[in-house]
Short mmCIF file of all heavy atoms in Angstrom, two decimals:
data_model
loop_
_atom_site.label_atom_id
_atom_site.label_comp_id
_atom_site.label_asym_id
_atom_site.label_seq_id
_atom_site.Cartn_x
_atom_site.Cartn_y
_atom_site.Cartn_z
N ARG A 1 -8.99 -19.13 24.03
CA ARG A 1 -9.64 -18.92 22.73
C ARG A 1 -10.87 -18.05 22.92
O ARG A 1 -11.71 -18.33 23.76
CB ARG A 1 -10.00 -20.28 22.16
CG ARG A 1 -10.52 -20.18 20.78
CD ARG A 1 -10.68 -21.55 20.19
NE ARG A 1 -10.69 -21.38 18.75
CZ ARG A 1 -10.69 -22.35 17.90
NH1 ARG A 1 -10.65 -23.59 18.30
NH2 ARG A 1 -10.72 -22.12 16.63
N ILE A 2 -10.98 -17.01 22.11
CA ILE A 2 -12.15 -16.13 22.16
C ILE A 2 -13.18 -16.69 21.19
O ILE A 2 -12.89 -16.91 20.04
CB ILE A 2 -11.77 -14.70 21.75
CG1 ILE A 2 -10.74 -14.14 22.72
CG2 ILE A 2 -13.00 -13.82 21.68
CD1 ILE A 2 -10.23 -12.78 22.33
N LYS A 3 -14.37 -16.92 21.64
CA LYS A 3 -15.40 -17.48 20.77
C LYS A 3 -16.65 -16.61 20.74
O LYS A 3 -17.35 -16.59 19.76
CB LYS A 3 -15.78 -18.88 21.24
CG LYS A 3 -14.80 -19.93 20.85
CD LYS A 3 -15.33 -20.62 19.64
CE LYS A 3 -14.52 -21.86 19.36
NZ LYS A 3 -14.95 -22.53 18.18
N ARG A 4 -16.93 -15.93 21.81
CA ARG A 4 -18.19 -15.20 21.90
C ARG A 4 -18.05 -13.80 21.34
O ARG A 4 -17.10 -13.09 21.63
CB ARG A 4 -18.64 -15.13 23.35
CG ARG A 4 -19.05 -16.48 23.87
CD ARG A 4 -19.48 -16.41 25.30
NE ARG A 4 -18.88 -17.58 25.93
CZ ARG A 4 -18.26 -17.57 27.07
NH1 ARG A 4 -18.15 -16.48 27.77
NH2 ARG A 4 -17.74 -18.67 27.56
N LEU A 5 -19.02 -13.40 20.56
CA LEU A 5 -19.01 -12.08 19.96
C LEU A 5 -19.00 -11.00 21.02
O LEU A 5 -18.35 -9.97 20.87
CB LEU A 5 -20.23 -11.92 19.04
CG LEU A 5 -20.26 -10.71 18.15
CD1 LEU A 5 -19.04 -10.67 17.23
CD2 LEU A 5 -21.53 -10.67 17.33
N LYS A 6 -19.64 -11.25 22.17
CA LYS A 6 -19.68 -10.24 23.22
C LYS A 6 -18.30 -10.00 23.85
O LYS A 6 -18.08 -9.01 24.51
CB LYS A 6 -20.71 -10.60 24.29
CG LYS A 6 -20.38 -11.82 25.10
CD LYS A 6 -21.47 -12.11 26.11
CE LYS A 6 -21.12 -13.33 26.92
NZ LYS A 6 -22.13 -13.61 27.92
N GLU A 7 -17.35 -10.92 23.63
CA GLU A 7 -15.99 -10.74 24.12
C GLU A 7 -15.15 -9.86 23.20
O GLU A 7 -14.05 -9.47 23.54
CB GLU A 7 -15.30 -12.10 24.27
CG GLU A 7 -15.92 -12.98 25.34
CD GLU A 7 -15.23 -14.34 25.41
OE1 GLU A 7 -14.00 -14.40 25.27
OE2 GLU A 7 -15.95 -15.32 25.62
N MET A 8 -15.67 -9.57 22.01
CA MET A 8 -14.95 -8.75 21.04
C MET A 8 -15.23 -7.27 21.29
O MET A 8 -16.32 -6.92 21.71
CB MET A 8 -15.42 -9.07 19.62
CG MET A 8 -15.41 -10.51 19.25
SD MET A 8 -13.74 -11.12 19.16
CE MET A 8 -14.05 -12.85 19.33
N SER A 9 -14.25 -6.44 21.01
CA SER A 9 -14.48 -5.00 21.06
C SER A 9 -13.51 -4.31 20.11
O SER A 9 -12.42 -4.82 19.83
CB SER A 9 -14.33 -4.46 22.48
OG SER A 9 -13.03 -4.65 22.96
N ILE A 10 -13.93 -3.18 19.61
CA ILE A 10 -13.10 -2.40 18.70
C ILE A 10 -11.82 -2.00 19.42
O ILE A 10 -11.83 -1.60 20.58
CB ILE A 10 -13.88 -1.18 18.20
CG1 ILE A 10 -15.03 -1.67 17.31
CG2 ILE A 10 -12.98 -0.22 17.44
CD1 ILE A 10 -15.99 -0.60 16.88
N GLY A 11 -10.70 -2.16 18.72
CA GLY A 11 -9.40 -1.82 19.28
C GLY A 11 -8.60 -3.02 19.76
O GLY A 11 -7.38 -2.94 19.86
N LYS A 12 -9.26 -4.16 20.03
CA LYS A 12 -8.52 -5.36 20.44
C LYS A 12 -7.72 -5.89 19.26
O LYS A 12 -8.17 -5.85 18.11
CB LYS A 12 -9.47 -6.46 20.92
CG LYS A 12 -9.99 -6.26 22.31
CD LYS A 12 -10.75 -7.48 22.77
CE LYS A 12 -11.18 -7.30 24.21
NZ LYS A 12 -11.88 -8.49 24.73
N ILE A 13 -6.53 -6.41 19.54
CA ILE A 13 -5.71 -7.06 18.52
C ILE A 13 -5.93 -8.55 18.67
O ILE A 13 -5.77 -9.10 19.76
CB ILE A 13 -4.23 -6.69 18.69
CG1 ILE A 13 -4.05 -5.19 18.53
CG2 ILE A 13 -3.38 -7.45 17.67
CD1 ILE A 13 -2.65 -4.70 18.87
N VAL A 14 -6.33 -9.19 17.57
CA VAL A 14 -6.69 -10.60 17.62
C VAL A 14 -5.95 -11.41 16.56
O VAL A 14 -5.56 -10.89 15.52
CB VAL A 14 -8.22 -10.80 17.43
CG1 VAL A 14 -8.98 -10.25 18.62
CG2 VAL A 14 -8.71 -10.16 16.14
N LEU A 15 -5.74 -12.68 16.88
CA LEU A 15 -5.16 -13.64 15.94
C LEU A 15 -6.30 -14.46 15.38
O LEU A 15 -7.09 -15.03 16.13
CB LEU A 15 -4.15 -14.55 16.65
CG LEU A 15 -3.50 -15.62 15.79
CD1 LEU A 15 -2.57 -14.99 14.76
CD2 LEU A 15 -2.75 -16.62 16.66
N PHE A 16 -6.42 -14.48 14.05
CA PHE A 16 -7.49 -15.25 13.44
C PHE A 16 -6.96 -15.98 12.22
O PHE A 16 -5.88 -15.69 11.72
CB PHE A 16 -8.67 -14.35 13.06
CG PHE A 16 -8.35 -13.27 12.06
CD1 PHE A 16 -8.56 -13.47 10.70
CD2 PHE A 16 -7.87 -12.05 12.48
CE1 PHE A 16 -8.27 -12.48 9.79
CE2 PHE A 16 -7.59 -11.04 11.57
CZ PHE A 16 -7.79 -11.26 10.22
N TYR A 17 -7.73 -16.95 11.76
CA TYR A 17 -7.35 -17.66 10.55
C TYR A 17 -8.33 -17.33 9.44
O TYR A 17 -9.49 -17.06 9.67
CB TYR A 17 -7.22 -19.17 10.76
CG TYR A 17 -8.49 -19.88 11.14
CD1 TYR A 17 -9.31 -20.42 10.15
CD2 TYR A 17 -8.86 -20.02 12.46
CE1 TYR A 17 -10.47 -21.08 10.49
CE2 TYR A 17 -10.02 -20.68 12.81
CZ TYR A 17 -10.82 -21.21 11.81
OH TYR A 17 -11.98 -21.86 12.15
N THR A 18 -7.80 -17.32 8.23
CA THR A 18 -8.57 -17.03 7.04
C THR A 18 -7.94 -17.79 5.88
O THR A 18 -6.91 -18.43 6.05
CB THR A 18 -8.60 -15.50 6.77
OG1 THR A 18 -9.49 -15.22 5.69
CG2 THR A 18 -7.23 -14.95 6.48
N SER A 19 -8.55 -17.73 4.72
CA SER A 19 -8.02 -18.40 3.54
C SER A 19 -7.67 -17.37 2.48
O SER A 19 -8.36 -16.37 2.33
CB SER A 19 -9.04 -19.38 2.96
OG SER A 19 -9.34 -20.39 3.89
N ASP A 20 -6.59 -17.65 1.73
CA ASP A 20 -6.25 -16.77 0.62
C ASP A 20 -7.04 -17.20 -0.62
O ASP A 20 -7.86 -18.12 -0.55
CB ASP A 20 -4.74 -16.73 0.37
CG ASP A 20 -4.16 -18.08 -0.05
OD1 ASP A 20 -4.92 -18.97 -0.48
OD2 ASP A 20 -2.93 -18.23 0.05
N ILE A 21 -6.80 -16.56 -1.75
CA ILE A 21 -7.59 -16.85 -2.95
C ILE A 21 -7.36 -18.27 -3.49
O ILE A 21 -8.15 -18.75 -4.28
CB ILE A 21 -7.30 -15.81 -4.05
CG1 ILE A 21 -5.81 -15.81 -4.45
CG2 ILE A 21 -7.75 -14.44 -3.64
CD1 ILE A 21 -5.51 -14.96 -5.66
N PHE A 22 -6.31 -18.91 -3.03
CA PHE A 22 -6.01 -20.28 -3.46
C PHE A 22 -6.54 -21.32 -2.47
O PHE A 22 -6.34 -22.52 -2.67
CB PHE A 22 -4.51 -20.46 -3.65
CG PHE A 22 -3.92 -19.49 -4.63
CD1 PHE A 22 -3.15 -18.43 -4.19
CD2 PHE A 22 -4.17 -19.60 -5.99
CE1 PHE A 22 -2.62 -17.52 -5.09
CE2 PHE A 22 -3.66 -18.70 -6.89
CZ PHE A 22 -2.87 -17.65 -6.45
N GLY A 23 -7.17 -20.88 -1.40
CA GLY A 23 -7.70 -21.80 -0.40
C GLY A 23 -6.71 -22.18 0.68
O GLY A 23 -7.01 -23.02 1.52
N ASN A 24 -5.54 -21.56 0.69
CA ASN A 24 -4.55 -21.84 1.73
C ASN A 24 -4.92 -21.10 3.01
O ASN A 24 -5.22 -19.91 2.98
CB ASN A 24 -3.15 -21.37 1.28
CG ASN A 24 -2.70 -22.09 0.03
OD1 ASN A 24 -2.80 -23.30 -0.07
ND2 ASN A 24 -2.23 -21.34 -0.95
N VAL A 25 -4.88 -21.80 4.12
CA VAL A 25 -5.20 -21.19 5.42
C VAL A 25 -4.00 -20.37 5.88
O VAL A 25 -2.86 -20.81 5.78
CB VAL A 25 -5.56 -22.25 6.46
CG1 VAL A 25 -5.78 -21.63 7.83
CG2 VAL A 25 -6.81 -23.01 6.02
N LYS A 26 -4.26 -19.17 6.39
CA LYS A 26 -3.18 -18.33 6.93
C LYS A 26 -3.63 -17.70 8.23
O LYS A 26 -4.82 -17.50 8.47
CB LYS A 26 -2.76 -17.27 5.92
CG LYS A 26 -3.83 -16.29 5.54
CD LYS A 26 -3.31 -15.28 4.53
CE LYS A 26 -4.36 -14.22 4.25
NZ LYS A 26 -3.85 -13.14 3.42
N LEU A 27 -2.66 -17.42 9.09
CA LEU A 27 -2.92 -16.75 10.36
C LEU A 27 -2.64 -15.26 10.20
O LEU A 27 -1.66 -14.87 9.57
CB LEU A 27 -2.03 -17.31 11.46
CG LEU A 27 -2.29 -18.77 11.84
CD1 LEU A 27 -1.26 -19.21 12.88
CD2 LEU A 27 -3.69 -18.95 12.37
N VAL A 28 -3.50 -14.43 10.80
CA VAL A 28 -3.37 -12.98 10.70
C VAL A 28 -3.53 -12.38 12.10
O VAL A 28 -4.39 -12.80 12.86
CB VAL A 28 -4.45 -12.41 9.76
CG1 VAL A 28 -4.33 -10.90 9.63
CG2 VAL A 28 -4.41 -13.06 8.39
N LEU A 29 -2.69 -11.40 12.42
CA LEU A 29 -2.76 -10.68 13.69
C LEU A 29 -3.09 -9.22 13.35
O LEU A 29 -2.22 -8.49 12.90
CB LEU A 29 -1.43 -10.78 14.44
CG LEU A 29 -1.39 -10.19 15.84
CD1 LEU A 29 -2.23 -11.03 16.79
CD2 LEU A 29 0.04 -10.11 16.34
N HIS A 30 -4.35 -8.83 13.53
CA HIS A 30 -4.81 -7.48 13.19
C HIS A 30 -5.75 -6.95 14.26
O HIS A 30 -6.27 -7.68 15.08
CB HIS A 30 -5.53 -7.48 11.84
CG HIS A 30 -4.61 -7.46 10.66
ND1 HIS A 30 -5.07 -7.53 9.39
CD2 HIS A 30 -3.26 -7.39 10.57
CE1 HIS A 30 -4.05 -7.49 8.54
NE2 HIS A 30 -2.94 -7.41 9.24
N ARG A 31 -5.98 -5.65 14.19
CA ARG A 31 -6.84 -4.95 15.15
C ARG A 31 -8.29 -4.93 14.68
O ARG A 31 -8.56 -4.71 13.50
CB ARG A 31 -6.33 -3.51 15.30
CG ARG A 31 -6.96 -2.72 16.41
CD ARG A 31 -6.35 -1.32 16.51
NE ARG A 31 -4.90 -1.36 16.67
CZ ARG A 31 -4.27 -1.48 17.82
NH1 ARG A 31 -4.96 -1.62 18.94
NH2 ARG A 31 -2.95 -1.48 17.86
N ILE A 32 -9.23 -5.14 15.60
CA ILE A 32 -10.66 -5.05 15.28
C ILE A 32 -11.02 -3.58 15.07
O ILE A 32 -10.73 -2.74 15.92
CB ILE A 32 -11.53 -5.65 16.40
CG1 ILE A 32 -11.26 -7.15 16.53
CG2 ILE A 32 -13.01 -5.39 16.13
CD1 ILE A 32 -11.98 -7.82 17.70
N VAL A 33 -11.66 -3.29 13.93
CA VAL A 33 -12.05 -1.90 13.64
C VAL A 33 -13.56 -1.73 13.51
O VAL A 33 -14.06 -0.61 13.57
CB VAL A 33 -11.36 -1.37 12.36
CG1 VAL A 33 -9.86 -1.26 12.56
CG2 VAL A 33 -11.67 -2.23 11.15
N LYS A 34 -14.29 -2.84 13.35
CA LYS A 34 -15.74 -2.74 13.21
C LYS A 34 -16.37 -4.07 13.56
O LYS A 34 -15.84 -5.12 13.22
CB LYS A 34 -16.08 -2.37 11.76
CG LYS A 34 -17.55 -2.26 11.46
CD LYS A 34 -17.76 -1.91 9.98
CE LYS A 34 -19.23 -1.88 9.63
NZ LYS A 34 -19.43 -1.61 8.19
N ILE A 35 -17.50 -4.00 14.26
CA ILE A 35 -18.28 -5.19 14.58
C ILE A 35 -19.72 -4.88 14.22
O ILE A 35 -20.28 -3.88 14.68
CB ILE A 35 -18.19 -5.56 16.08
CG1 ILE A 35 -16.74 -5.83 16.47
CG2 ILE A 35 -19.08 -6.77 16.39
CD1 ILE A 35 -16.52 -6.00 17.96
N GLU A 36 -20.29 -5.72 13.38
CA GLU A 36 -21.68 -5.49 12.95
C GLU A 36 -22.36 -6.85 12.81
O GLU A 36 -21.92 -7.68 12.02
CB GLU A 36 -21.67 -4.75 11.62
CG GLU A 36 -23.03 -4.34 11.14
CD GLU A 36 -22.92 -3.51 9.87
OE1 GLU A 36 -22.42 -2.38 9.96
OE2 GLU A 36 -23.31 -4.02 8.81
N ASN A 37 -23.43 -7.03 13.57
CA ASN A 37 -24.13 -8.32 13.61
C ASN A 37 -23.14 -9.42 13.98
O ASN A 37 -22.52 -9.35 15.00
CB ASN A 37 -24.84 -8.59 12.29
CG ASN A 37 -25.88 -7.52 11.98
OD1 ASN A 37 -26.57 -7.05 12.86
ND2 ASN A 37 -25.98 -7.13 10.73
N GLU A 38 -22.97 -10.41 13.16
CA GLU A 38 -22.06 -11.52 13.44
C GLU A 38 -20.69 -11.32 12.80
O GLU A 38 -19.83 -12.18 12.92
CB GLU A 38 -22.66 -12.82 12.91
CG GLU A 38 -23.98 -13.20 13.54
CD GLU A 38 -23.82 -13.71 14.96
OE1 GLU A 38 -22.89 -14.50 15.19
OE2 GLU A 38 -24.63 -13.33 15.81
N LYS A 39 -20.49 -10.20 12.12
CA LYS A 39 -19.27 -9.99 11.34
C LYS A 39 -18.29 -9.07 12.06
O LYS A 39 -18.68 -8.11 12.70
CB LYS A 39 -19.62 -9.39 9.98
CG LYS A 39 -20.52 -10.30 9.17
CD LYS A 39 -21.00 -9.62 7.93
CE LYS A 39 -21.96 -10.53 7.19
NZ LYS A 39 -22.63 -9.82 6.11
N ILE A 40 -16.99 -9.40 11.94
CA ILE A 40 -15.93 -8.63 12.58
C ILE A 40 -14.93 -8.23 11.50
O ILE A 40 -14.40 -9.08 10.79
CB ILE A 40 -15.22 -9.47 13.66
CG1 ILE A 40 -16.23 -9.91 14.71
CG2 ILE A 40 -14.06 -8.69 14.28
CD1 ILE A 40 -15.73 -11.00 15.61
N TRP A 41 -14.69 -6.91 11.36
CA TRP A 41 -13.72 -6.41 10.40
C TRP A 41 -12.44 -6.05 11.14
O TRP A 41 -12.48 -5.50 12.24
CB TRP A 41 -14.24 -5.17 9.69
CG TRP A 41 -15.22 -5.46 8.61
CD1 TRP A 41 -14.96 -5.59 7.29
CD2 TRP A 41 -16.63 -5.64 8.75
NE1 TRP A 41 -16.12 -5.84 6.60
CE2 TRP A 41 -17.15 -5.89 7.47
CE3 TRP A 41 -17.50 -5.64 9.85
CZ2 TRP A 41 -18.51 -6.13 7.26
CZ3 TRP A 41 -18.84 -5.86 9.63
CH2 TRP A 41 -19.33 -6.10 8.35
N THR A 42 -11.31 -6.38 10.54
CA THR A 42 -10.02 -6.07 11.13
C THR A 42 -9.17 -5.29 10.13
O THR A 42 -9.50 -5.20 8.95
CB THR A 42 -9.27 -7.37 11.52
OG1 THR A 42 -9.03 -8.14 10.36
CG2 THR A 42 -10.04 -8.17 12.55
N LYS A 43 -8.06 -4.74 10.65
CA LYS A 43 -7.16 -3.97 9.80
C LYS A 43 -5.79 -3.99 10.45
O LYS A 43 -5.67 -3.83 11.66
CB LYS A 43 -7.66 -2.54 9.68
CG LYS A 43 -6.81 -1.61 8.85
CD LYS A 43 -7.48 -0.24 8.80
CE LYS A 43 -6.57 0.83 8.33
NZ LYS A 43 -5.50 1.14 9.26
N GLY A 44 -4.76 -4.20 9.65
CA GLY A 44 -3.41 -4.08 10.15
C GLY A 44 -3.11 -2.61 10.44
O GLY A 44 -3.59 -1.72 9.73
N ASP A 45 -2.36 -2.34 11.48
CA ASP A 45 -2.11 -0.95 11.89
C ASP A 45 -1.48 -0.11 10.78
O ASP A 45 -1.73 1.09 10.71
CB ASP A 45 -1.22 -0.91 13.13
CG ASP A 45 -1.97 -1.36 14.38
OD1 ASP A 45 -3.20 -1.49 14.34
OD2 ASP A 45 -1.30 -1.56 15.41
N ASN A 46 -0.69 -0.70 9.91
CA ASN A 46 -0.04 0.06 8.83
C ASN A 46 -0.72 -0.12 7.48
O ASN A 46 -0.20 0.34 6.47
CB ASN A 46 1.44 -0.34 8.72
CG ASN A 46 2.23 0.16 9.91
OD1 ASN A 46 2.04 1.27 10.37
ND2 ASN A 46 3.10 -0.68 10.43
N ASN A 47 -1.85 -0.78 7.46
CA ASN A 47 -2.58 -0.99 6.20
C ASN A 47 -3.56 0.16 5.96
O ASN A 47 -4.08 0.75 6.91
CB ASN A 47 -3.35 -2.31 6.23
CG ASN A 47 -2.44 -3.50 6.25
OD1 ASN A 47 -1.23 -3.39 6.10
ND2 ASN A 47 -3.03 -4.67 6.48
N LYS A 48 -3.82 0.45 4.70
CA LYS A 48 -4.76 1.52 4.35
C LYS A 48 -6.20 1.04 4.31
O LYS A 48 -7.11 1.81 4.54
CB LYS A 48 -4.38 2.13 3.00
CG LYS A 48 -3.06 2.86 3.06
CD LYS A 48 -2.71 3.50 1.74
CE LYS A 48 -1.36 4.19 1.88
NZ LYS A 48 -0.97 4.87 0.67
N ARG A 49 -6.39 -0.26 4.00
CA ARG A 49 -7.74 -0.79 3.87
C ARG A 49 -8.03 -1.84 4.93
O ARG A 49 -7.12 -2.51 5.41
CB ARG A 49 -7.94 -1.42 2.49
CG ARG A 49 -7.75 -0.44 1.36
CD ARG A 49 -8.02 -1.03 0.01
NE ARG A 49 -7.63 -2.43 -0.09
CZ ARG A 49 -7.94 -3.20 -1.12
NH1 ARG A 49 -8.60 -2.73 -2.12
NH2 ARG A 49 -7.55 -4.47 -1.14
N THR A 50 -9.30 -1.99 5.25
CA THR A 50 -9.70 -3.06 6.17
C THR A 50 -9.70 -4.39 5.44
O THR A 50 -9.77 -4.45 4.21
CB THR A 50 -11.11 -2.80 6.76
OG1 THR A 50 -12.05 -2.73 5.69
CG2 THR A 50 -11.15 -1.53 7.57
N ASP A 51 -9.63 -5.46 6.23
CA ASP A 51 -9.68 -6.81 5.70
C ASP A 51 -11.14 -7.19 5.42
O ASP A 51 -12.06 -6.51 5.86
CB ASP A 51 -9.11 -7.81 6.72
CG ASP A 51 -7.71 -7.45 7.17
OD1 ASP A 51 -6.88 -7.11 6.30
OD2 ASP A 51 -7.44 -7.53 8.38
N GLU A 52 -11.32 -8.31 4.73
CA GLU A 52 -12.65 -8.90 4.62
C GLU A 52 -13.09 -9.29 6.03
O GLU A 52 -12.26 -9.57 6.89
CB GLU A 52 -12.62 -10.14 3.73
CG GLU A 52 -12.36 -9.85 2.27
CD GLU A 52 -13.53 -9.15 1.61
OE1 GLU A 52 -14.69 -9.49 1.92
OE2 GLU A 52 -13.28 -8.27 0.77
N TYR A 53 -14.38 -9.34 6.27
CA TYR A 53 -14.85 -9.68 7.61
C TYR A 53 -14.57 -11.15 7.93
O TYR A 53 -14.40 -11.98 7.05
CB TYR A 53 -16.33 -9.37 7.77
CG TYR A 53 -17.25 -10.18 6.90
CD1 TYR A 53 -17.66 -11.46 7.29
CD2 TYR A 53 -17.72 -9.68 5.70
CE1 TYR A 53 -18.49 -12.21 6.51
CE2 TYR A 53 -18.56 -10.43 4.90
CZ TYR A 53 -18.95 -11.69 5.31
OH TYR A 53 -19.78 -12.44 4.53
N VAL A 54 -14.50 -11.42 9.23
CA VAL A 54 -14.39 -12.79 9.75
C VAL A 54 -15.47 -12.97 10.80
O VAL A 54 -16.09 -12.00 11.24
CB VAL A 54 -12.99 -13.09 10.36
CG1 VAL A 54 -11.91 -13.01 9.31
CG2 VAL A 54 -12.67 -12.16 11.51
N TYR A 55 -15.67 -14.19 11.21
CA TYR A 55 -16.63 -14.49 12.27
C TYR A 55 -15.87 -14.81 13.56
O TYR A 55 -14.69 -15.19 13.51
CB TYR A 55 -17.51 -15.68 11.87
CG TYR A 55 -18.42 -15.36 10.71
CD1 TYR A 55 -18.12 -15.79 9.43
CD2 TYR A 55 -19.58 -14.63 10.90
CE1 TYR A 55 -18.95 -15.49 8.36
CE2 TYR A 55 -20.42 -14.32 9.84
CZ TYR A 55 -20.11 -14.76 8.57
OH TYR A 55 -20.93 -14.46 7.52
N ALA A 56 -16.54 -14.69 14.68
CA ALA A 56 -15.91 -14.92 15.99
C ALA A 56 -15.26 -16.30 16.06
O ALA A 56 -14.19 -16.45 16.66
CB ALA A 56 -16.92 -14.75 17.11
N GLU A 57 -15.86 -17.30 15.42
CA GLU A 57 -15.28 -18.65 15.49
C GLU A 57 -13.95 -18.77 14.76
O GLU A 57 -13.21 -19.72 14.97
CB GLU A 57 -16.27 -19.71 14.99
CG GLU A 57 -16.79 -19.47 13.61
CD GLU A 57 -18.14 -18.76 13.59
OE1 GLU A 57 -18.57 -18.20 14.60
OE2 GLU A 57 -18.75 -18.76 12.51
N ASN A 58 -13.60 -17.79 13.90
CA ASN A 58 -12.30 -17.77 13.23
C ASN A 58 -11.21 -17.19 14.12
O ASN A 58 -10.02 -17.31 13.80
CB ASN A 58 -12.37 -16.95 11.94
CG ASN A 58 -13.24 -17.58 10.90
OD1 ASN A 58 -14.44 -17.35 10.90
ND2 ASN A 58 -12.66 -18.37 10.04
N ILE A 59 -11.59 -16.54 15.20
CA ILE A 59 -10.60 -15.87 16.06
C ILE A 59 -10.05 -16.88 17.07
O ILE A 59 -10.79 -17.53 17.79
CB ILE A 59 -11.22 -14.64 16.74
CG1 ILE A 59 -11.58 -13.63 15.64
CG2 ILE A 59 -10.25 -14.05 17.76
CD1 ILE A 59 -12.23 -12.38 16.13
N LEU A 60 -8.72 -16.98 17.08
CA LEU A 60 -8.04 -17.94 17.95
C LEU A 60 -7.70 -17.35 19.31
O LEU A 60 -7.61 -18.07 20.29
CB LEU A 60 -6.77 -18.44 17.27
CG LEU A 60 -6.98 -19.14 15.94
CD1 LEU A 60 -5.65 -19.41 15.26
CD2 LEU A 60 -7.77 -20.43 16.14
N GLY A 61 -7.47 -16.04 19.38
CA GLY A 61 -7.13 -15.44 20.65
C GLY A 61 -6.86 -13.95 20.51
O GLY A 61 -6.86 -13.40 19.42
N GLU A 62 -6.63 -13.32 21.64
CA GLU A 62 -6.36 -11.89 21.72
C GLU A 62 -4.88 -11.66 22.05
O GLU A 62 -4.33 -12.33 22.91
CB GLU A 62 -7.24 -11.27 22.80
CG GLU A 62 -7.00 -9.79 23.00
CD GLU A 62 -7.81 -9.21 24.15
OE1 GLU A 62 -8.61 -9.96 24.76
OE2 GLU A 62 -7.63 -8.04 24.44
N PHE A 63 -4.28 -10.71 21.37
CA PHE A 63 -2.90 -10.31 21.67
C PHE A 63 -2.92 -9.54 22.98
O PHE A 63 -3.73 -8.64 23.18
CB PHE A 63 -2.36 -9.44 20.54
CG PHE A 63 -1.00 -8.90 20.82
CD1 PHE A 63 0.13 -9.68 20.65
CD2 PHE A 63 -0.83 -7.60 21.28
CE1 PHE A 63 1.39 -9.19 20.93
CE2 PHE A 63 0.42 -7.09 21.56
CZ PHE A 63 1.53 -7.89 21.38
N VAL A 64 -2.00 -9.88 23.88
CA VAL A 64 -1.98 -9.24 25.19
C VAL A 64 -0.73 -8.37 25.38
O VAL A 64 -0.84 -7.20 25.70
CB VAL A 64 -2.08 -10.29 26.32
CG1 VAL A 64 -2.03 -9.61 27.68
CG2 VAL A 64 -3.34 -11.11 26.18
N GLU A 65 0.48 -8.94 25.16
CA GLU A 65 1.69 -8.16 25.34
C GLU A 65 2.88 -8.83 24.69
O GLU A 65 2.86 -10.02 24.40
CB GLU A 65 1.99 -7.97 26.83
CG GLU A 65 2.37 -9.24 27.54
CD GLU A 65 2.65 -9.04 29.02
OE1 GLU A 65 2.43 -7.94 29.55
OE2 GLU A 65 3.09 -10.01 29.63
N ILE A 66 3.91 -8.04 24.46
CA ILE A 66 5.18 -8.56 23.97
C ILE A 66 6.10 -8.69 25.17
O ILE A 66 6.22 -7.78 25.97
CB ILE A 66 5.82 -7.59 22.94
CG1 ILE A 66 4.93 -7.48 21.71
CG2 ILE A 66 7.22 -8.05 22.57
CD1 ILE A 66 5.40 -6.46 20.71
N VAL A 67 6.73 -9.84 25.29
CA VAL A 67 7.61 -10.09 26.43
C VAL A 67 9.05 -9.97 25.99
O VAL A 67 9.45 -10.35 24.94
CB VAL A 67 7.36 -11.49 27.02
CG1 VAL A 67 8.27 -11.75 28.19
CG2 VAL A 67 5.92 -11.63 27.42
#
């Protein structure tokens, strides 16, 4: 589990949890595109817009490889 902001870097693909507009928790696997202060912005590779920011404590882990 990645918890420390210093372990984050732009370009890493991370699995994090967030809530939708109804309060349902969902898991998302997206690439980090911006880190500013305590906030981390991600974006799906085929998406046009970035996601809302998340915090490091929302990140469950880093994608490493497909086997």
Side-chain angles (χ1 to χ4, degrees):
R1 187 172 201 173
I2 298 175
K3 282 260 191 183
R4 291 179 223 135
L5 190 59
K6 67 181 180 178
E7 294 178 38
M8 309 292 160
S9 63
I10 293 173
K12 282 188 176 183
I13 299 172
V14 292
L15 178 68
F16 61 94
Y17 64 91
T18 187
S19 298
D20 64 18
I21 60 172
F22 303 106
N24 299 313
V25 175
K26 62 180 185 173
L27 294 176
V28 181
L29 186 70
H30 280 176
R31 189 178 304 274
I32 295 175
V33 294
K34 179 181 176 183
I35 301 172
E36 186 175 291
N37 299 322
E38 299 286 317
K39 300 172 183 170
I40 301 166
W41 282 265
T42 61
K43 179 178 165 291
D45 288 348
N46 290 318
N47 294 351
K48 293 182 181 182
R49 299 183 326 170
T50 59
D51 305 315
E52 291 290 321
Y53 65 83
V54 296
Y55 294 101
E57 55 264 14
N58 293 87
I59 296 179
L60 300 172
E62 178 184 357
F63 175 80
V64 179
E65 68 181 7
I66 296 175
V67 180

